[in-house]
């Protein structure tokens, strides 16, 4: 069974992942979504992906390109959940009482 991206964000993310560490030209992203910049904005803000962009000038013509950066860093709240479990059990603060 293979995975098939369902929406435009997933398709763009899949394309960026498949070409990493290379750059994806903007026209290639436009084949997926004419509003590719909105999809990239959403991947950056809502999903936390680091996506680089650059503009190259070739023969006086500007060419936009995008590349996937490192994986998103989970919020500190998610990171703390795994740390609170230790050899002595759950050492998080007891929140059953009212302060």
């Amino acid at each position: 069974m293979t995975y098939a991206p369902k929406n435009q964000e997933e398709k763009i993310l899949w394309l960026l992942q498949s070409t990493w560490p290379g750059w994806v030209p903007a026209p290639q992203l436009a084949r997926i979504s004419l509003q590719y910049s909105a999809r990239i904005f959403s991947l950056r803000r809502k999903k936390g992906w680091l996506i680089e962009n650059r503009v190259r000038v070739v023969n006086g013509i500007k060419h936009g390109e995008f590349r996937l950066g490192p994986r998103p860093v989970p919020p500190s709240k998610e990171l703390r959940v795994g740390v609170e479990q230790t050899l002595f059990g759950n050492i998080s603060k007891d929140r059953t009482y009212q302060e």
Side-chain angles (χ1 to χ4, degrees):
M1 184 171 161
T2 60
Y3 173 76
K6 297 177 183 136
N7 58 36
Q8 293 174 342
E9 281 182 14
E10 288 181 4
K11 289 177 183 178
I12 288 174
L13 185 59
W14 183 86
L15 179 60
L16 291 170
Q17 288 174 332
S18 67
T19 57
W20 190 87
W23 293 86
V24 178
Q28 202 170 352
L29 295 173
R31 288 187 201 126
I32 296 171
S33 171
L34 290 176
Q35 294 183 336
Y36 66 87
S37 60
R39 305 298 159 252
I40 288 176
F41 178 83
S42 177
L43 287 168
R44 285 175 173 158
R45 301 293 173 168
K46 295 179 186 172
K47 307 285 185 348
W49 285 98
L50 299 175
I51 300 173
E52 300 176 78
N53 63 301
R54 72 177 181 186
V55 177
R56 292 186 315 131
V57 179
V58 179
N59 297 328
I61 300 172
K62 295 180 181 180
H63 298 275
E65 299 175 327
F66 294 84
R67 176 171 72 176
L68 193 62
R71 290 200 174 272
V73 177
S76 60
K77 182 178 180 180
E78 290 178 21
L79 292 173
R80 283 192 305 263
V81 169
V83 174
E84 292 173 348
Q85 292 290 337
T86 67
L87 177 65
F88 303 106
N90 187 345
I91 60 169
S92 61
K93 293 182 180 178
D94 180 15
R95 304 217 186 264
T96 58
Y97 64 91
Q98 294 290 330
E99 292 184 13

